[in-house]
Amino acid sequence: MPELQKAFSKQALQPIFTQIEAVRVANPPPRALPKKSERELKADELSSCFSELHVSLSRCLSWLRQPSAETFSNFQLDAAEKDQAKALAISKRFSERLMTRLLDETHPEAGILFLGFTGTGKTHLAKAILTDLAARKAPGFFIPAGEYFDLYTPAYAAKLDQPLWKIRQWLTSTSCLVIDLANDEVGTSAWTDARKDRLQQIIDLRTANRLPTIVTTNLAQADFDAAGAERIASRFNQVLYPVKCTWSDFRKRSALKNLKPEEVF
């Protein structure tokens, strides 16, 4: 009995206690992560939702290339064009503050209408917004107007692996939808009543969901009036902030004809 008491005495067990303490110091328990606020949890939920929608749309409409090369940094900015610098600043602010506007519910449905001449970089700015939103974990989706209209044709819809109603639901729920009217080759001359209704509908549904839309177009108010699309133009005025792109055509500025032969070949 005395031997047992001696074996378990404080003095005898001290080396063991020392070893345990050394191991504990060398391997501290992981720090508990700070608890996220309700706002941060909501932001995570939105990001997760937008990411899932982007994957679904990209898989279903896989032939539509989504922006990645177009960024704010490689936008061709002419220092002499103040309106161009303003358009770039608006685009950056839109992207930087989109999630904040959604969380605060301060005009979250407000989008942008890029309108103006060909070659001014309207579509580049719209795509750059999507590239930046993807980096901020709030990816949107890009669709040319012609492709959007084609979704409603029976031959086209038959090739889709998802029903049209679901694709439309995804398009109305993505963080930011860019509709490119600027490269719609048919223009307003072939805008049937059905096309006008479908364009109006997608804008209205996204507005009801309090999500922004961006539209790029070469058309003027007179073009919409001539096509009998005054109602669409009126809706654009209500929910899209106009950014007029009236500076010179960058394609003309960078045309090969402006270079010497030895600079080209």
Side-chain angles (χ1 to χ4, degrees), residues 16 58 93 105 107 140-141 143 149 152 181 186 189 202 209 216 220 225 227 265:
I16 298 176
S58 298
R93 180 176 174 81
E105 298 186 356
H107 307 296
F141 200 76
I143 188 167
F149 293 140
Y152 290 85
L181 283 172
V186 297
S189 60
I202 192 73
N209 286 341
T216 65
D225 294 343
F265 306 109

Side-chain angles (χ1 to χ4, degrees), residues 203-241:
I203 299 293
D204 287 348
L205 288 172
R206 288 190 56 79
T207 301
N209 286 341
R210 307 209 70 188
L211 291 167
T213 306
I214 293 176
V215 175
T216 65
T217 181
N218 301 326
L219 305 174
Q221 179 70 49
D223 297 312
F224 285 97
D225 294 343
E230 300 92 339
R231 189 160 53 96
I232 294 175
S234 176
R235 191 58 164 156
F236 283 179
N237 289 335
Q238 183 181 10
V239 297
L240 304 181
Y241 186 87

